[in-house]
Structures are given as structure tokens and as C-alpha cells.
Amino acid sequence: MKISLFATCLVDTMTPSVAAATAALLQRLGQDVVVPPTQACCGQMHVNTGYRREAVSIVANHVRAFAGAEVIVAPSGSCVASIHHQQAAVARRAGDEALAQAAEELAGRTYELSQFLVDVLGVTDVGAYYPHRVTYHPTCHSLRMLGVGDRPLQLLRAVRGLELVELPRADQCCGFGGTFAVKNADTSTAMLTDKMADVLGTHAEVCTAGDASCLMHIGGGLSRLRAGTRTVHLAEILAATEHDQALVTGTVTS
């Protein structure tokens, strides 16, 4: 299958190792991966903060960048949720029905990574090796808007060497939410404090999730506590094997 990788603008600029791990994982599973060069952002941050008119050009660029793609996969539940639930609505609200229909058609071929692996490829054991104690945070958009459910947990349970520990109050948000963390700093910090306490209570070495944005938020807080627990994207864990010690030991750099 020919897969067009949507890296998302945040992964591309802040954690490119996540995109590289996603491509490596899909290629290891026998897929042909391409990266459309004109891709940019999904527009979620614009939509969530009320800049819907400005988001129209972003939607148009996304549709052009992935026109003709067989399947689109992204290592981000929040961006895929935005593509499924926001892009067509933005175009339709602006009166561009042709763009809205194109966005809807594209959304039907777009998958978050764990959904693609479990639902499309039909695999839960991707041959990964990751000898660490890990807890999983289901990000709000992936859980509530996209409905990824327990697919990431199915994948993590099949990773050899990985000890998966349940995160208390896992369905509570981390407090990032794009510009929410900037506009509501006190509330965001309080939510992050609760999330960090739950993560640290598991005594996990690693907290993982399917969104780099939440991991940046949680990881930033944990690093200030010097707690020793680090954050790693789900794609990087699933891409890790005995033959890639950088991913296994966490020494890969973005």
C-alpha cells in the first residue's frame, strides 16, 4: 500500500524523530511511504481559537498537498480529528462547497497511526522491542473526538519487554490544548500538575501518547521536577527493535 505520511507541523518543527519513526515502522511492515513536500498544518489551532476564515487557506493547502493520495497516516490523534471533524466544516462555513467535499473525501482516507495499524493493516504485534516500564496517556482529542479507544493499548501490550502500567484518571486532559495553555495558564498548570502526579504515581520510566503536543506539555513539566520519567511518542516505541538501540534506550534526538 502506498501511504502518504502527514507529519503535522508540530512534529515537523519540534519532534521530527516522531515522523521518522512513523515512516520506519510503516516501511518495516511492508508499506511504501511517501512524504508530500507541500504539506503544512491541519489548521486545528486556528479553528480552536476562532480563526476560521484564516483556516480556509490551510484546509485548501492540505487538500492540494494530499490530492490523489491512496491513504494518509499521521502520528497525531488531534490533527486527524481536526481533519475528520473540522476541515470540511471550515470550508462549508466559508461558502466553498467544492473544498468542503474535497476535504470530506480526503478525511475518509486519513488515519491516526494506531487506527491504521489495527483497523486497516489488522496488526497489533508490530515486532517492537522496548524493555521499559511504560504508562499511556490517551490525549483528549484522540479519545473524545477521534475515538481511538484502546487501539494504542493493544499495540503496547504486544511490545516485547514492555511493562505496561495503568495510568490513574487516564481520561483527564493534560491541560495543553494548543493556545489553551497560553490563554489559560493557571488552569493549564493545575491540570498538568494533576497529570504529572498520576504519571509519577505509576513509577513508570516512560509516559507515552499519540500526540507530540501533549507529550511536550507533560515532558516539560516532568523535566522541571527532575523526576526521571521521560515522555516518548507511541510511534517511537512501536518503531523500536533490538537493532535500533537509539530508540530502545531513548538516545534518539529530534
Side-chain angles (χ1 to χ4, degrees):
M1 189 181 301
K2 188 172 185 177
I3 298 171
S4 295
L5 174 63
F6 176 38
T8 80
C9 54
L10 190 144
V11 166
D12 183 41
T13 56
M14 304 300 291
T15 59
S17 62
V18 172
T22 303
L25 170 63
L26 293 171
Q27 288 170 339
R28 192 174 80 215
L29 295 174
Q31 308 305 310
D32 181 16
V33 180
V34 297
V35 184
T38 58
Q39 63 177 283
C41 301
C42 64
Q44 178 190 177
M45 190 170 293
H46 292 72
V47 177
N48 290 352
T49 49
Y51 294 95
R52 297 190 176 187
R53 180 179 301 175
E54 290 80 357
V56 174
S57 61
I58 297 174
V59 174
N61 179 76
H62 187 81
V63 168
R64 283 194 303 270
F66 289 94
E70 181 180 358
V71 173
I72 302 109
V73 175
S76 170
S78 61
C79 261
V80 173
S82 177
I83 291 166
H84 279 228
H85 300 291
Q86 294 178 334
Q87 287 201 346
V90 165
R92 192 159 284 127
R93 187 185 182 97
D96 193 336
E97 183 59 29
L99 180 59
Q101 291 183 14
E104 286 178 338
E105 193 275 332
L106 198 69
R109 292 181 277 126
T110 303
Y111 299 87
E112 180 270 342
L113 178 61
S114 71
Q115 287 184 320
F116 178 75
L117 294 173
V118 176
D119 296 350
V120 181
L121 294 187
V123 298
T124 51
D125 186 346
V126 297
Y129 171 72
Y130 198 74
H132 300 287
R133 184 178 172 91
V134 176
T135 193
Y136 168 70
H137 166 62
T139 64
C140 289
H141 285 83
S142 69
L143 188 68
R144 295 183 173 85
M145 284 188 71
L146 193 59
V148 298
D150 70 346
R151 295 174 183 82
L153 293 172
Q154 293 181 48
L155 294 160
L156 289 169
R157 290 186 186 112
V159 175
R160 287 180 294 109
L162 188 149
E163 180 187 0
L164 183 62
V165 288
E166 184 178 354
L167 179 66
R169 301 185 293 178
D171 62 346
Q172 294 195 14
C173 300
C174 71
F176 180 63
T179 56
F180 175 85
V182 177
K183 293 182 176 179
N184 303 277
D186 290 344
T187 303
S188 173
T189 300
M191 295 170 71
L192 174 62
T193 299
D194 289 345
K195 182 59 66 178
M196 288 192 298
D198 290 334
V199 170
L200 294 176
T202 67
H203 303 290
E205 302 169 64
V206 171
C207 174
T208 191
D211 274 290
S213 52
C214 274
L215 292 176
M216 286 174 50
H217 191 53
I218 298 170
L222 291 173
S223 69
R224 288 177 177 81
L225 295 178
R226 299 181 186 278
T229 302
R230 56 195 170 91
T231 54
V232 178
H233 194 283
L234 176 67
E236 293 176 295
I237 292 178
L238 299 180
T241 68
E242 291 94 333
H243 306 295
D244 191 340
Q245 287 300 304
L247 283 172
V248 169
T249 60
T251 56
V252 65
T253 56
S254 296

